[in-house]
Amino acid sequence: MVMVESKNQSKHFLILAYQSFGLVFGELSISPLYVYKNTLSGRLSHYQSEDTLFGVLSLIFWTFTLLSLFKYVILMLSADDNGEGGIFALYSLLCRLAKFSLLPNYQAADEEISTYHNMVRSKRNMLSSSSRKNFERRNGTKTCLLLVVLIGASLAVCLGSLSPAISVLSSIEGLQVQVKNLHEGTLAFVAAVVLIGHFVLQHRGTYRVAFMFAPIVIIWLFSLAAIGIYNIIKWNPSIYVALSPHYVYKFFKDTGKDGWMSLGGIFLCVTGTETVFAYLGQFTAESIRVAFLCIVYPCLVLQYMGQAAFLSKNFSAVPVSFYASIPYPLFWPVLALAIFAAVVASQAAISATFSIVKQCYALGCFFRVKIVHKPKWIHGQIYIPEINWLLMIISLVLAIGFRNSNHMGNAYGISCMGVTFVMTLLMSLVVSLAWHKGVPLALLCLLFFGFIEVVFISSSCTKIPEGGWFPLMLAAVLMFIMYVWHYGSRKKYLHDQHNKVPMKWILTLGSSLEVVRVPGIGLIYTELASGVPATFSHFLTNLPTFYQVVVFACVKTVPVPCVPAKERYLIGRIGPKSYRMYRCIIRNGYNDVHINEDDFENDLVVSIAEFIQLEAEGSEAHEGHMDGRLAVVKSSDNFGKILLASNSSNNAESSCSRPPGTVNSGKSAALQRLKSRYEQESPQFSHRRRIHFHLSDARYKDSRGREELMELLEAKHEGVAYVMGHSHIKAKWNASFLKRFVVNVAFSFLRKNCRSPSVVLNIPRTCLIEVGMNYWL
């Protein structure tokens, strides 16, 4: 039994290692196409000596070894957040374990989520250090940390447009070797056609062709290694001596300032390494390490050595160094393979960008966008139409505007350097504040890797006029958008919290809330995790009628990658039982895909029924964690056994089609006909799953509990109406100019031009009621 289990684990491990080539190492494996070209085409073109070339190879080798191998593969793969990687994985660790979060909807019950604490590295009762306490007390420090994260996220989004452009264009530039006098405009046109086709097909997902990604990259890597070995043997077998750090010293001694200015091209050898950490959630650290150490690292090192050996005897071939070094019989197969590998690398960058935007959106730092995930797609794969077309436009502008990979390489290098440096800063904070390893070790990591990266960044600053300005400009725009949305959303939440209805006012209304109660469930969406929103009182004031069952639903994001399904719903009661008012908090992680609205309605009814039963049985000490009057009801072993469900094949509900034991409709025949007509005219209803609930035959200790359950089922049968606040915030006339611009112009523009909350939540228009309110800051 143990041997079988061990074999299964080994098989799963090898499968993950194999699959990692398709997503994790695509970008990194494309770098040999443009590293030497970008490095040697500038001022170093005047230093055509073997020692200079050996120095370039030594720099490439040690940069690749220190940053890719030691920093990312060995160190950063250990900084996972419940198996997830990326910028927001580090940020969420700091938000949870070091209390750096600016999200205002924190609840004590969130800490009871099983994925909230990383028990391997953190102790929940560990005393906070003095430095950590100082950080936690200062909102300015938390804001600075958020800005650093947004800078890294903005630059990472830039990579989603730069990587496809430079990868595809660099692979197609090989045509210049065989087709003489080929104009750059023609190459840019061919690259544009490939890019358009690639982005247009994004909406179909990659699940059909994803099985080809890993073989393409593996064959590509072995081809790189074979070509490298061939060039070493043919052109310069002694190239291995260039791996000595001595040649780094000699390089800077001979080239001086010109050598320092060429470091931007050297850094391109590690572009795509950040993907190794970003895709950690879909694989394991061990599988990525094995794939990198056994295949990726040796293959790329051999390729860089072979290309240097070729150039040491052919300095005139620098503009097309990679393709010129390919043996003639293999040229066309390698060119075709390079184009396929570039497409795979582009797909990895685009998918990573979708994930980053989704995480920004989940943590309140990006405006509302449509996130698509289909059941048949690969787990974790999403598609965002708005971002896809934006990336396509930017990639086309880059390919057609720059037309060569040198200026594009400058832009690409600056973006990668910025992301890498942000990772180093966050990693140092995680080591000190989340892992509790002490400030000296964190400073050591920061000084060692930070110094190397600052040297590269200082060199790349000289390339800002030569294409480096583009990612800086784009990142500045994206960061401004992200921060404005976060600022406006947070201010709106704080004003909602300040203007929420006091419970004393609710209790004075009496059992009927002094309004006419009509059949059905009124589902009030609110961002508040506690209290009654002002939207409710605003509705009652203008229309003193409401539904017999009221549910305040709060969909919020907890700074964890995923919330287990059993711990997602937090159910409680508002006011006395006669009010029939409940609170439902739906907790999602930053990587969770939004649930289907039909399933949400059914899960909501079942969860409330479970809460009513637990309360009727007096189960105050239930194993579901309690937060005041809130309970995680899905943790119960008996969850889902109180109500029995049956599917309905007809869209129009009639009394003859109802299962036995369900309640009769309280609506008039005219209203029922009008409802059926609306449902037939609305295309959303034709695909909605119809489920009828009725009570099980279990015995109930409390007759009032059974009565409440029957009333809940009656309300569900009558239908669910969604009430959403449509509140606006405006800055006062005497506010500062900056505040009025951010709130009245920037945030208002984003709010008006992004998707509405009802569209994001997939709420049918015939079931939606919007209540408008204005807030003045």
Side-chain angles (χ1 to χ4, degrees):
M1 187 70 179
V2 176
M3 291 181 63
V4 173
E5 200 172 300
S6 177
K7 286 182 179 179
N8 290 334
Q9 290 178 353
S10 301
K11 182 179 178 181
H12 180 66
F13 172 80
L14 292 175
I15 290 174
L16 287 178
Y18 167 77
Q19 292 175 339
S20 67
F21 288 100
L23 285 178
V24 175
F25 301 113
E27 283 186 84
L28 190 62
S29 66
I30 289 294
S31 299
L33 293 178
Y34 44 76
V35 170
Y36 282 103
K37 176 186 176 181
N38 194 277
T39 303
L40 299 172
S41 61
R43 296 193 179 188
L44 285 186
S45 59
H46 304 296
Y47 299 87
Q48 296 187 359
S49 66
E50 189 175 83
D51 285 345
T52 301
L53 202 58
F54 279 22
V56 170
L57 174 59
S58 186
L59 277 169
I60 290 174
F61 173 76
W62 288 107
T63 301
F64 187 54
T65 301
L66 291 176
L67 295 185
S68 293
L69 177 59
F70 284 99
K71 179 187 172 182
Y72 275 98
V73 175
I74 293 179
L75 182 60
M76 293 207 67
L77 287 182
S78 301
D80 64 290
D81 179 16
N82 291 288
E84 293 290 336
I87 291 178
F88 283 95
L90 298 177
Y91 182 59
S92 69
L93 279 174
L94 293 171
C95 288
R96 298 200 317 267
L97 305 182
K99 307 299 182 186
F100 273 12
S101 178
L102 283 171
L103 293 174
N105 55 5
Y106 166 80
Q107 288 178 293
D110 296 341
E111 296 193 18
E112 301 298 332
I113 298 176
S114 57
T115 54
Y116 196 90
H117 292 277
N118 191 337
M119 304 305 295
V120 176
R121 299 190 184 94
S122 67
K123 295 180 181 179
R124 296 175 56 176
N125 297 324
M126 182 178 290
L127 296 176
S128 300
S129 63
S130 58
S131 59
R132 174 177 161 181
K133 290 180 179 179
N134 290 332
F135 278 120
E136 291 178 2
R137 282 197 298 262
R138 299 177 181 177
N139 281 333
T141 306
K142 298 178 182 179
T143 303
C144 289
L145 177 64
L146 177 65
L147 289 175
V148 170
V149 172
L150 293 183
I151 290 173
S154 301
L155 290 171
V157 173
C158 293
L159 292 177
S161 58
L162 285 164
S163 181
I166 191 173
S167 299
V168 172
L169 186 59
S170 297
S171 64
I172 293 175
E173 281 179 343
L175 292 172
Q176 292 178 315
V177 176
Q178 296 295 329
V179 183
K180 303 301 181 182
N181 301 322
L182 190 62
H183 194 267
E184 288 183 345
T186 305
L187 292 175
F189 174 77
V190 175
V193 171
V194 174
L195 288 171
I196 291 174
H198 188 44
F199 281 102
V200 167
L201 295 176
Q202 284 296 312
H203 75 283
R204 301 185 65 88
T206 59
Y207 68 101
R208 292 185 183 273
V209 295
F211 71 96
M212 298 173 54
F213 290 173
I216 289 174
V217 175
I218 292 174
I219 296 173
W220 169 249
L221 286 169
F222 283 130
S223 301
L224 294 180
I227 294 169
I229 294 172
Y230 167 81
N231 287 319
I232 291 172
I233 295 173
K234 180 178 180 179
W235 298 104
N236 197 338
S238 62
I239 194 70
Y240 67 90
V241 300
L243 302 183
S244 170
H246 167 71
Y247 283 94
V248 175
Y249 166 76
K250 199 171 182 180
F251 171 80
F252 286 114
K253 182 181 178 181
D254 295 340
T255 60
K257 182 181 177 181
D258 293 337
W260 167 73
M261 292 180 66
S262 68
L263 289 178
I266 300 290
F267 191 84
L268 293 176
C269 70
V270 297
T271 52
T273 313
E274 69 281 347
T275 310
V276 173
F277 184 52
Y279 275 105
L280 179 59
Q282 298 189 27
F283 306 96
T284 62
E286 291 76 15
S287 62
I288 293 176
R289 286 182 178 129
V290 168
F292 183 86
L293 291 171
C294 295
I295 296 181
V296 178
Y297 183 77
C299 287
L300 290 179
V301 169
L302 286 172
Q303 167 56 213
Y304 287 124
M305 291 175 64
Q307 205 171 149
F310 171 79
L311 288 173
S312 66
K313 308 300 181 183
N314 302 273
F315 283 102
S316 60
V318 166
V320 287
S321 60
F322 174 78
Y323 286 103
S325 67
I326 301 173
Y328 179 76
L330 300 178
F331 176 81
W332 292 107
V334 172
L335 176 64
L337 187 60
I339 295 175
F340 282 118
V343 171
V344 174
S346 303
Q347 182 59 47
I350 295 169
S351 299
T353 303
F354 289 159
S355 297
I356 290 172
V357 170
K358 190 224 177 282
Q359 291 166 358
C360 287
Y361 165 71
L363 294 175
C365 298
F366 206 85
F367 52 85
R368 291 181 291 270
V369 291
K370 181 180 181 180
I371 298 175
V372 180
H373 173 77
K374 297 181 181 179
K376 59 184 177 181
W377 285 7
I378 301 171
H379 175 70
Q381 182 189 5
I382 59 173
Y383 168 69
I384 304 178
E386 297 94 331
I387 302 301
N388 182 66
W389 304 127
L390 178 64
L391 293 179
M392 186 187 75
I393 292 171
I394 296 174
S395 295
L396 292 176
V397 169
L398 289 168
I400 297 173
F402 287 153
R403 294 193 178 186
N404 68 79
S405 56
N406 284 343
H407 287 180
M408 208 178 299
N410 296 334
Y412 191 38
I414 286 179
S415 298
C416 289
M417 290 177 202
V419 174
T420 302
F421 187 66
V422 169
M423 289 283 198
T424 301
L425 291 175
L426 295 177
M427 180 65 194
S428 303
L429 290 174
V430 168
V431 170
S432 175
L433 302 176
W435 290 1
H436 310 285
K437 296 296 184 182
V439 177
L441 183 60
L443 284 177
L444 180 63
C445 294
L446 178 61
L447 292 176
F448 180 74
F449 294 110
F451 173 76
I452 297 174
E453 291 156 4
V454 166
V455 171
F456 280 107
I457 290 173
S458 64
S459 169
S460 292
C461 287
T462 62
K463 301 293 181 68
I464 290 178
E466 302 174 10
W469 57 270
F470 185 84
L472 298 179
M473 179 193 70
L474 182 59
V477 173
L478 289 172
M479 197 187 94
F480 176 76
I481 291 174
M482 290 179 183
Y483 186 74
V484 164
W485 185 262
H486 180 271
Y487 175 82
S489 300
R490 190 164 181 268
K491 286 294 184 182
K492 178 178 174 296
Y493 182 91
L494 293 175
H495 272 68
D496 281 337
Q497 193 174 41
H498 177 74
N499 293 286
K500 64 184 179 182
V501 180
M503 183 54 64
K504 184 183 294 185
W505 181 80
I506 297 291
L507 295 175
T508 58
L509 296 178
S511 59
S512 64
L513 298 178
E514 295 187 355
V515 296
V516 178
R517 306 295 287 267
V518 297
I521 296 179
L523 187 60
I524 304 176
Y525 270 108
T526 174
E527 296 180 359
L528 294 178
S530 61
V532 177
T535 305
F536 184 61
S537 62
H538 193 63
F539 186 95
L540 295 184
T541 301
N542 291 274
L543 185 65
T545 303
F546 213 76
Y547 296 91
Q548 66 187 102
V549 174
V550 182
V551 181
F552 295 93
C554 170
V555 181
K556 74 172 193 174
T557 300
V558 183
V560 297
C562 299
V563 177
K566 288 187 175 181
E567 303 173 30
R568 180 159 294 161
Y569 285 84
L570 200 62
I571 305 295
R573 186 187 295 278
I574 297 178
K577 292 184 178 182
S578 59
Y579 283 13
R580 302 297 190 256
M581 295 171 61
Y582 309 94
R583 182 183 308 285
C584 176
I585 298 176
I586 304 98
R587 302 176 295 185
N588 296 316
Y590 55 80
N591 276 346
D592 283 326
V593 180
H594 195 272
I595 55 178
N596 184 279
E597 197 62 32
D598 299 338
D599 294 335
F600 170 67
E601 286 185 11
N602 299 322
D603 285 350
L604 181 67
V605 172
V606 175
S607 298
I608 294 176
E610 181 70 23
F611 174 80
I612 294 171
Q613 181 66 9
L614 291 174
E615 197 177 44
E617 293 177 354
S619 181
E620 294 295 331
H622 177 64
E623 58 264 37
H625 301 296
M626 305 297 293
D627 179 20
R629 304 185 70 176
L630 297 174
V632 184
V633 294
K634 281 196 173 185
S635 60
S636 170
D637 294 333
N638 296 320
F639 179 80
K641 297 180 180 180
I642 300 172
L643 301 182
L644 300 179
S646 59
N647 292 322
S648 174
S649 57
N650 297 328
N651 285 340
E653 297 177 7
S654 61
S655 58
C656 61
S657 65
R658 294 177 198 134
T662 56
V663 291
N664 294 322
S665 175
K667 292 182 179 180
S668 65
L671 287 177
Q672 292 185 42
R673 287 194 299 270
L674 184 61
K675 177 185 175 183
S676 300
R677 184 182 303 171
Y678 276 140
E679 292 179 356
Q680 292 172 3
E681 293 175 355
S682 300
Q684 303 100 320
F685 279 98
S686 60
H687 303 289
R688 290 173 70 87
R689 185 172 59 170
R690 298 287 179 169
I691 290 183
H692 292 279
F693 289 105
H694 59 279
L695 292 178
S696 63
D697 295 332
R699 295 183 179 181
Y700 299 90
K701 297 180 180 179
D702 188 358
S703 59
R704 290 177 297 179
R706 178 181 175 83
E707 180 183 345
E708 189 174 1
L709 288 171
M710 290 296 294
E711 191 170 345
L712 175 66
L713 295 184
E714 178 186 354
K716 170 63 172 67
H717 177 72
E718 295 296 342
V720 180
Y722 297 82
V723 182
M724 302 197 71
H726 199 66
S727 55
H728 302 161
I729 58 171
K730 294 287 185 181
K732 295 179 180 179
W733 65 271
N734 57 349
S736 63
F737 171 78
L738 181 61
K739 186 174 183 179
R740 281 186 282 119
F741 174 77
V742 169
V743 176
N744 295 348
V745 179
F747 181 74
S748 178
F749 175 81
L750 292 175
R751 183 187 56 79
K752 291 177 180 178
N753 291 278
C754 71
R755 293 181 181 268
S756 66
S758 59
V759 174
V760 173
L761 295 170
N762 195 27
I763 298 174
R765 300 296 299 177
T766 54
C767 302
L768 178 65
I769 302 173
E770 291 187 318
V771 181
M773 295 188 69
N774 289 325
Y775 292 141
W776 294 91
L777 302 180

